[in-house]
Amino acid sequence: MPRGPASKPLLVAAASVAVVVGLGGSGLLSPWWSQFVDDLGQFGAGLAATLACWLGAPRHTGAQRRWRLWMGAAACGWTIGQFIWSFYQLFRDNALPSPSLADAGYLTLPVFALPAVVSLAAARPPADAPRRRPGQLVMVLDGLIVVGALFVLTWATTLGSVARAGAATPFAYSVAIAYPVTDLVLTVIVILLLAASAPAGRGQLTILGAGLLCLAFSDSVFAYLVSKGADSMPPLADAGFVAGMALVAVAALTPARPDTAPPAARHARWAHLMLPYVPVAGTGVLLIVQLVRGINMDGVEIAVETAVISLLIIRQAVTLIENAMLLDRVSDSQARLTYQAFHDALTGLSNRVLFHDRLEHALALHHRDGRPLAVLFCDLDDFKAVNDRFGHHTGDRLLRHAAGRLRAAVRDSDTVARVGGDEFAVLLEGGGDPGETAERIMDAIGRPFEFDGESVSVGVSVGLVQAGEHGTVPSADALLRRADAAMYAGKRQGKGTLVRYRVDLPDGRGSSDLAEALAATLRDGNGLDVHYQPIVRLADATVVAVEALARWTHPSLGPVPTDVFIATAEEIGLIRLVDDFVLDRACRDAAAFRGPWAGIAVHVNASAARLGRPEHEDTVREAVLRHGLVPHRLVLELTETAPLPDLAEAAAAVHRLGRFGVRFALDDFGTGYNALAQLHAMPVDEVKLDRTFTVGGGRSEAICRSIVQICTGMGVAVVAEGVETDEQASAMAALGCRFGQGHRFGASGPLAAIAPADALDVVDAATVRPDAPFPAL
Ligand code: C2E
Ligand code: MG
Ligand code: MG
């Protein structure tokens, strides 16, 4: 059962047709009443179609209104014809009033139905555009095949007999032949329009087309009967007229479907493909029936059927050629897509994906038979300035030319890829000196580029990493990251440099092998250690305190410079773990000092960014209490690697911990962001003058003197950092600085190496009195 907006009217129409045909053809009524019911049914259906079209038209706009107006005119003309016909038949007792005035009415139907169908088809969206549609030539061939096949069918059934039967007058002959001819034309047009319209728009057109086909069917039967000299038309043969007009009414009542209907179903596409074959198959069946019945084909049938079959063969050939061309195009575009997926559109070089793939392959070979491989990471220097000064067009040209020079500087077997805006990666396989290749690349890129008479210069920074160096061979990603880290380190040293990867290179981009290993160390604590460096009174070189310094030994790479891993820990947000480890160890160790070191202070570095966080204060208190250290003996050194987010909050934290007893020092004083403001705001006990002032030169002497003066005025002790020589020590002492730290007094080392033997005996924590006098600094 049909579902959708047309289902109800369709049911009503089907019921009406059944009543009319059933009652008219049942034989229950007298012939006249049968005829009356039949004629009334046809007239009623025609009137219903006319009213449905014309009353519905004003409720629509555009093509939806137009086709209803045209179809209303067609149905109206037909209904008038039917009225006249019925009049002749019922009241003039003329069984088949043909030709008559009624024909004038009937024949208006094809005249107005044609523009109606065309308007309706035009109102539909074109057959789903993205789907491949048959080419123009195939469409024309299909049309001709359908026309030819239907012609053969019509000719064999009605047209032939009408044409052969002839008529009394040329006018009568024209009228007689007009029906099958116009029916043929309408049928062909409906079929072709249905095939060409989008499935989404076929609802109304299908119903209307079906109605017109029903009308054409009964028309043909009628024309055939007339040509055979029949004297009446059985009511059943009129069913096509009643059903046809009823369907026209249903089509007019059916609302237009939105254009967003689901895409064509597979069977609808198959129906479209089968279009030319169905009518041809129909002619085949017909010809077989004729043969069986001993009817020979006449000349017209033979000629048209031959033409139809020839057209079918041509259509087949054209379709094959089109398919072959299509396959070619598909494989071309597949190749193009594959190329685009693995290459950079601007330079034509490999892209990151292809580079990664090649690198993984090269690494596999390296693992298998030790084939050497190196990666160069090249980043153009000052490329942004080129874009800013000469525009992006010139920037793009430069990238293309630089890519060409890069390619020319390496072997054909090497892979050059563009992996970022102005970043290129080169994979060197099969030996040779990668350093030399890098130099060649730097020379090539360093030569000025000439664009439209302008000379544009850029440099290139190159990072180099070789598989097999630094222990285990990392993954492709890690290797590329190492080359990137080396390049980045080069950029920071100054541009236009070649830097070979070293394990201690932070990549400055938030991740490195080092970061991963450090994170692992901090999770399990293995590999971290604490060294101590003495802080002395300059006057007599007595040790008054020791500074605890974090040390990290990488499981396979060995000791990593403190600056490097501290910066890495800060980058990855794990500095807290380093600080807490050192704090705990320092408190434990200091609490155990005795003899000459009994009661000396221990300095512990603390990241200033953490100051003010409640968890930090708790950690400090707990560490001190846990090990029974007198709080005064702990000096927290504040190092400012980033501006303090809230100086007031940091100062409050210093106050709170200060009340607990812990003391504070400003580390590397003079290099931070806001040294004097911090000195002013925070109640610190010490200032550690950065070693840049200690080594002297420039105006450092004046600065040192002023700082010492300010600090002394405030009651803040000053420690000179990085004192390496006697001269520096006495110069600092002469400026009023009382304390010093540096290689002159001892480098940092494990506690056992730097402490006097009698300072490290295990002491009972209870012997350390909480109020033990603290050596003044
Ligand atoms: P800092 O706190 O200023 O530590 C002094 C640094 O100067 C130490 O470097 C020390 O070895 C070095 N040094 C000492 N005397 C001399 C000298 O005469 N000449 C020269 N050239 N250098 C000298 P180290 O151990 O590499 O530590 C570097 C920095 O790392 C420290 O500087 C500190 O800012 C940071 N750091 C160390 N341990 C920790 C820690 O546990 N937590 C935090 N947040 N930072 C730490
Ligand atoms: Mg320090
Ligand atoms: Mg320092």
Side-chain angles (χ1 to χ4, degrees):
M1 184 179 292
R3 284 168 193 276
S7 55
K8 234 193 230 146
L10 266 177
L11 280 178
V12 173
S16 314
V17 175
V19 168
V20 170
V21 175
L23 208 58
S26 64
L28 295 173
L29 304 173
S30 70
W32 191 90
W33 278 105
S34 276
Q35 197 62 60
F36 178 77
V37 168
D38 185 15
D39 283 348
L40 189 66
Q42 292 177 58
F43 177 76
L47 196 62
T50 310
L51 292 178
C53 288
W54 277 352
L55 295 182
R59 286 201 288 273
H60 294 87
T61 54
Q64 281 293 331
R65 173 186 288 196
R66 264 198 308 280
W67 84 259
R68 285 182 172 86
L69 289 175
W70 283 118
M71 203 56 223
C76 180
W78 187 91
T79 310
I80 292 170
Q82 178 57 29
F83 181 79
I84 299 169
W85 169 272
S86 306
F87 178 78
Y88 280 126
Q89 222 181 16
L90 294 171
F91 303 110
R92 290 288 171 84
D93 216 12
N94 186 345
L96 280 181
S98 181
S100 71
L101 202 56
D103 291 314
Y106 286 142
L107 286 172
T108 49
L109 181 109
V111 175
F112 291 120
L114 195 63
V117 176
V118 173
S119 304
L120 180 53
R124 309 311 322 156
D128 23 5
R131 176 158 63 86
R132 188 185 96 81
R133 300 186 57 206
Q136 292 284 319
L137 182 57
V138 172
M139 292 271 282
V140 172
L141 288 170
D142 284 353
L144 288 174
I145 292 167
V146 172
V147 172
L150 287 181
F151 178 85
V152 172
L153 281 173
T154 315
W155 182 265
T157 50
T158 44
L159 198 54
S161 29
V162 174
R164 279 191 295 271
T169 62
F171 175 70
Y173 185 73
S174 311
V175 170
I177 208 126
Y179 285 98
V181 168
T182 54
D183 287 338
L184 173 65
V185 170
L186 260 184
T187 306
V188 167
I189 287 177
V190 165
I191 290 176
L192 292 182
L193 287 178
L194 265 175
S197 73
R202 283 197 195 138
Q204 287 177 317
L205 192 58
T206 310
I207 299 171
L208 182 62
L212 292 173
L213 290 181
C214 286
L215 289 169
F217 171 75
S218 282
D219 256 354
S220 304
V221 175
F222 174 73
Y224 180 75
L225 290 176
V226 169
S227 72
K228 291 292 176 200
D231 55 2
S232 69
M233 175 91 167
L236 201 61
D238 282 336
F241 292 130
V242 184
M245 277 300 159
L247 285 171
V248 170
V250 172
L253 293 175
T254 305
R257 285 249 301 274
D259 293 348
T260 50
R266 185 178 285 260
H267 67 265
R269 287 204 291 273
W270 276 106
H272 188 265
L273 285 175
M274 298 310 291
L275 172 72
Y277 302 103
V278 175
V280 173
T283 62
V285 172
L286 181 91
L287 294 178
I288 291 168
V289 171
Q290 279 186 340
L291 271 175
V292 171
R293 290 176 58 199
I295 304 169
N296 284 330
M297 292 169 78
D298 67 11
V300 176
E301 275 175 275
I302 292 171
V304 179
E305 189 65 21
T306 311
V308 165
I309 289 169
S310 312
L311 286 172
L312 205 60
I313 292 167
I314 296 172
R315 190 230 194 232
Q316 215 47 47
V318 170
T319 311
L320 281 177
I321 294 168
E322 273 191 350
N323 282 349
M325 283 162 56
L326 187 73
L327 281 178
D328 280 354
R329 276 209 298 277
V330 167
S331 66
D332 278 0
S333 55
Q334 247 168 6
R336 220 177 16 255
L337 280 178
T338 311
Y339 181 86
Q340 281 167 358
F342 292 109
H343 289 84
D344 171 50
L346 181 70
T347 58
L349 295 177
S350 310
N351 63 12
R352 191 178 269 276
V353 179
L354 182 55
F355 186 83
H356 196 271
D357 188 60
R358 297 248 171 102
L359 184 52
E360 285 205 318
H361 180 249
L363 270 172
L365 292 181
H366 176 83
H367 279 298
R368 203 185 62 193
D369 40 10
R371 239 178 103 166
L373 88 88
V375 174
L376 302 177
F377 200 100
C378 311
D379 186 291
L380 300 187
D381 299 326
D382 303 320
F383 177 70
K384 188 178 173 305
V386 174
N387 265 339
D388 292 347
R389 197 172 147 214
F390 299 99
H392 286 267
H393 177 64
T394 304
D396 286 353
R397 284 175 76 186
L398 189 137
L399 285 174
R400 277 196 295 271
H401 282 78
R405 290 186 188 181
L406 263 169
R407 265 253 61 103
V410 301
R411 290 172 299 204
D412 285 348
S413 55
D414 298 329
T415 304
V416 182
R418 180 167 173 232
V419 292
D422 61 347
E423 293 172 340
F424 300 88
V426 184
L427 169 61
L428 305 172
E429 290 178 80
D433 180 357
E436 262 176 30
T437 312
E439 299 286 352
R440 253 200 325 277
I441 287 174
M442 291 164 77
D443 281 352
I445 303 286
R447 275 183 280 119
F449 295 84
E450 298 290 334
F451 298 128
D452 307 325
E454 290 255 31
S455 172
V456 183
S457 291
V458 288
V460 61
S461 299
V462 183
L464 160 60
V465 65
Q466 278 177 279
E469 284 181 343
H470 315 295
T472 53
V473 181
S475 64
D477 274 334
L479 207 58
L480 194 60
R481 218 167 46 224
R482 285 180 176 183
D484 183 19
M487 181 284 297
Y488 199 70
K491 281 253 184 214
R492 283 186 300 187
Q493 283 171 20
K495 294 162 183 172
T497 50
L498 164 64
V499 172
R500 285 168 186 270
Y501 176 75
R502 297 190 317 270
V503 284
D504 59 337
L505 286 180
D507 66 3
R509 301 185 187 200
S511 76
S512 71
D513 298 343
L514 219 57
E516 282 163 26
L518 180 61
T521 291
L522 292 176
R523 272 194 297 273
D524 59 24
N526 286 338
L528 264 193
D529 199 3
V530 178
H531 281 189
Y532 293 90
Q533 186 177 28
I535 298 172
V536 302
R537 190 163 36 220
L538 288 176
D540 53 10
T542 311
V543 174
V544 291
V546 285
E547 178 176 1
L549 294 161
R551 294 288 176 259
W552 177 42
T553 307
H554 187 283
S556 59
L557 309 171
V560 179
T562 315
D563 282 332
V564 171
F565 79 79
I566 291 292
T568 308
E570 273 171 351
E571 269 167 28
I572 60 176
L574 295 180
I575 188 67
R576 184 175 61 84
L577 299 179
V578 179
D579 282 359
D580 291 353
F581 174 84
V582 175
L583 174 72
D584 185 73
R585 183 70 75 80
C587 289
R588 187 197 74 183
D589 290 346
F593 291 163
R594 54 156 291 167
W597 277 17
I600 68 164
V602 65
H603 286 223
V604 174
N605 292 284
S607 189
R610 253 180 103 197
L611 207 59
R613 303 236 178 107
E615 52 84 20
H616 179 240
E617 288 179 43
D618 293 345
T619 309
V620 172
R621 282 198 187 90
E622 280 163 20
V624 167
L625 295 174
R626 187 164 49 246
H627 298 291
L629 184 71
V630 183
H632 260 77
R633 295 181 57 203
L634 177 65
V635 181
L636 289 181
E637 293 191 8
L638 304 178
T639 322
E640 207 188 19
T641 46
L644 279 177
D646 187 345
L647 185 56
E649 181 50 42
V654 171
H655 262 295
R656 283 193 295 272
L657 280 174
R659 276 203 299 276
F660 173 68
V662 171
R663 295 184 295 158
F664 284 88
L666 290 178
D667 202 358
D668 304 337
F669 191 81
T671 58
Y673 291 88
N674 224 344
L676 284 180
Q678 288 179 17
L679 187 58
H680 177 243
M682 296 201 269
V684 296
D685 307 278
E686 276 179 40
V687 151
K688 294 186 77 180
L689 203 51
D690 191 73
R691 61 182 289 271
T692 45
F693 303 111
T694 310
V695 290
R699 303 194 198 174
S700 57
E701 193 186 312
I703 294 174
C704 284
R705 181 177 293 115
S706 307
I707 292 176
V708 170
Q709 218 171 358
I710 293 171
C711 291
T712 313
M714 294 174 78
V716 172
V718 181
V719 181
E721 287 189 312
V723 180
E724 293 179 344
T725 61
D726 284 340
E727 290 72 36
Q728 285 169 354
S730 28
M732 293 311 294
L735 289 172
C737 179
R738 293 177 55 206
F739 304 97
Q741 176 182 0
H743 294 165
R744 161 70 186 79
F745 309 109
S748 63
L751 198 52
I754 68 153
D758 51 350
L760 292 184
D761 285 350
V762 177
V763 288
D764 181 1
T767 62
V768 180
R769 285 174 290 129
D771 56 349
F774 190 75
L777 287 174

